[in-house]
């Protein structure tokens, strides 16, 4: 026993000395990192961002093609190159990025995100790649009204949701009334239209808008105590190898001052005005209209199938079927579509199903539409005279036969007009799926806003496109209704 203790006491110091001289990466190599392994296995790094945040990331036409550019994209490309994989960009609303990272929809977030204590509880962050100051932007002529953080009592201040700027407005602009919006272009539009009287923006973003718009100026005398913000890459928890690789790339960028070149390239792409507005951004609207129509069609098509089934279940004599149908219909009609979209998109990720944004959007719209179609179908069936069913039964038909051959053919005339109106409704409601990055009209309008620095015109064009779509479909439905009435 004494010999064993002496041997153990002798070996321990030797092992400690050997560990001291082991290469730094040896311990890390033994750690497990499924995120990094998946990236290498598929040969692709998926980076999430909100591409309405010039000059960080925004849409631009490069060599005749619509591309997402900006210095965050250059950083993402550098990391992908260092990993030896291809880069894939996944667009989402800024407030959906953390959820996408935590559910495995994306591998990294590179979107000018600051490592706040709240975010660090959910994800890890790389070393910072940039430090910026927060600035207050106001309308030209109002700069004299705001000379310190004490001049904002009762003043509405535009900020982006879940950002450092939102926190600064709440904590340092004394007495201010923060107006939190999802996109920076929406903040600028509110500022220019007197909906808010000031906006808190990051330095590079603020400079881009002030340089572009003569009606906007800085409130230079307003400074924040906690106005310095670092931007870093958000990384999933328990991804040590990926975190080390990202930090190595960031270190290379900082050591070689590569960010300045990335910024210069982004600024050049921001102010390329060799085309008219429609020439430059027309493709965005065509793409958005195509996605909007597709989403509405798929939503109503599968929603009609689901709704028909639910309607029959609700009319069934079985208490179980009626209970299931009633519970589903009431739950869906009693919750916002936005919440349902998040449940489908992120919930399927938690369950291990890798649904695309478009598939998740179609499913959410179909599930939502099904609840409303169920009531349309049920009302259409109930509108048929009950004597028709009794007559069918007297002729020897059972319940399913009577429903199929007698009731449903007559009910369809009542159902189709309302179903057409549901299609028009879904066209407008499909705009909500923009929060998960589906490229429908509203999402594309946000992209155009961010790239063109025009806060109002993109939405005006979108409103006209929506009007043309809904007006055309409404007129076609009117023609169909009249022809059905004539056939009676």
């Amino acid at each position: 026993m004494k010999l064993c203790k002496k041997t153990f006491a002798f070996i321990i110091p030797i092992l400690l000395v050997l560990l001291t001289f082991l290469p730094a990466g040896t311990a890390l190599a033994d750690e497990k990192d499924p995120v990094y392994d998946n990236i290498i296995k598929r040969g692709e790094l998926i980076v999430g961002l909100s591409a309405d945040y010039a000059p960080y990331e925004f849409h631009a036409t490069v060599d005749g093609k619509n591309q997402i550019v900006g210095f965050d994209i250059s950083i993402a490309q550098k990391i992908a190159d260092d990993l030896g994989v291809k880069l894939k960009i996944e667009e989402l609303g800024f407030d959906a990025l953390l959820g996408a990272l935590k559910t495995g929809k994306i591998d990294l977030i590179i979107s000018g995100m600051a490592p706040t204590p709240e975010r660090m509880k959910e994800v890890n962050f790389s070393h910072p790649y940039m430090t910026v100051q927060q600035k207050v932007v106001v309308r030209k002529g109002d700069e004299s009204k705001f000379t310190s953080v004490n001049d904002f009592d009762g003043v509405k201040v535009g900020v982006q949701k879940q950002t450092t700027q939102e926190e600064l407005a709440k904590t340092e602009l004394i007495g201010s009334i923060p107006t939190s919006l999802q996109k920076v272009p929406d903040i600028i539009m509110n500022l220019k239209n007197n909906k808010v009287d000031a906006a808190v923006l990051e330095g590079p973003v603020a400079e881009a808008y002030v340089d572009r718009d003569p009606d906007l100026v800085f409130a230079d005398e307003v400074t924040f105590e906690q106005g310095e913000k670092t931007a870093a890459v958000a990384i999933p928890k328990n991804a040590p190898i990926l975190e080390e690789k990202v930090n190595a790339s960031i270190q290379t960028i900082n050591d070689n001052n590569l960010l300045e070149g990335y910024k210069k390239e982004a600024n050049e792409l921001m102010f390329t005005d060799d085309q008219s507005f429609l020439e430059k951004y027309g493709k965005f609207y065509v793409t958005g209209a195509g996605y909007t129509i597709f989403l509405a069609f798929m939503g109503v098509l599968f929603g009609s199938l689901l709704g028909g089934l639910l309607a029959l279940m609700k009319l069934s004599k079985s208490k179980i079927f009626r209970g299931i149908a009633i519970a589903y219909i009431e739950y869906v009609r009693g919750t916002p579509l936005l919440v349902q979209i998040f449940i489908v998109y992120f919930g399927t990720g938690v369950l291990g199903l890798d649904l695309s944004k478009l598939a998740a959007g179609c499913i959410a719209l179909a599930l939502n539409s099904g609840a409303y179609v169920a009531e349309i179908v049920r009302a259409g069936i109930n509108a048929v005279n009950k004597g028709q069913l009794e007559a069918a039964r007297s002729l020897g038909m059972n319940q399913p036969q009577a429903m199929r051959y007698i009731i449903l053919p007559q009910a369809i005339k009542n159902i189709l007009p309302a179903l057409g109106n549901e299609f028009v409704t879904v066209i407008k409601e499909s705009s909500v799926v923009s929060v998960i990055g589906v490229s429908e009209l509203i999402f594309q309008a946000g992209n155009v806003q961010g790239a063109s620095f025009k806060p109002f015109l993109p939405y005006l064009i979108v409103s006209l496109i929506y009007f043309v779509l809904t007006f055309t479909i409404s007129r076609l439905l009117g023609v169909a209704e009249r022809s059905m009435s004539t056939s009676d």
Side-chain angles (χ1 to χ4, degrees), residues 134-150:
Q134 310 306 306
K135 296 190 176 183
V136 175
V137 178
V138 297
R139 292 181 294 273
K140 190 173 184 179
D142 288 351
E143 58 268 35
S144 60
K145 298 179 183 178
F146 305 104
T147 59
S148 76
V149 293
N150 299 312

Side-chain angles (χ1 to χ4, degrees), residues 9-64:
F10 176 75
I11 290 174
I12 288 293
I14 295 176
L15 289 175
L16 291 174
V17 172
L18 288 174
L19 287 171
T20 303
F21 289 97
L22 283 175
T26 302
L28 188 60
D30 294 333
E31 293 190 64
K32 294 182 179 180
D33 188 342
V35 179
Y36 175 77
D37 292 340
N38 286 336
I39 293 170
I40 299 302
K41 183 178 179 179
R42 67 172 176 261
E44 190 175 65
L45 175 69
I46 305 175
V47 173
L49 49 79
S50 178
D52 57 358
Y53 204 53
Y56 287 78
E57 54 261 354
F58 58 99
H59 282 262
T61 302
V62 181
D63 297 328

Side-chain angles (χ1 to χ4, degrees), residues 36-155:
Y36 175 77
D37 292 340
N38 286 336
I39 293 170
I40 299 302
K41 183 178 179 179
R42 67 172 176 261
E44 190 175 65
L45 175 69
I46 305 175
V47 173
L49 49 79
S50 178
D52 57 358
Y53 204 53
Y56 287 78
E57 54 261 354
F58 58 99
H59 282 262
T61 302
V62 181
D63 297 328
K65 296 180 180 179
N66 170 35
Q67 295 184 21
I68 302 174
V69 296
F71 58 76
D72 272 349
I73 306 301
S74 299
I75 292 170
Q77 188 64 61
K78 170 63 176 171
I79 294 172
D81 291 343
D82 290 346
L83 291 174
V85 297
K86 295 180 180 179
L87 174 64
K88 179 182 178 182
I89 299 298
E90 199 73 38
E91 286 188 81
L92 296 162
F94 189 83
D95 52 355
L97 288 172
L98 286 174
L101 185 64
K102 291 192 66 179
T103 55
K105 298 288 186 181
I106 57 178
D107 301 316
L108 301 172
I109 298 173
I110 308 181
S111 193
M113 185 170 281
T116 63
E118 292 77 14
R119 290 171 181 162
M120 293 175 72
K121 293 176 183 177
E122 306 297 328
V123 298
N124 290 343
F125 281 89
S126 70
H127 299 324
Y129 59 82
M130 185 174 63
T131 301
V132 296
Q133 294 289 337
Q134 310 306 306
K135 296 190 176 183
V136 175
V137 178
V138 297
R139 292 181 294 273
K140 190 173 184 179
D142 288 351
E143 58 268 35
S144 60
K145 298 179 183 178
F146 305 104
T147 59
S148 76
V149 293
N150 299 312
D151 296 332
F152 290 86
D153 189 24
V155 174

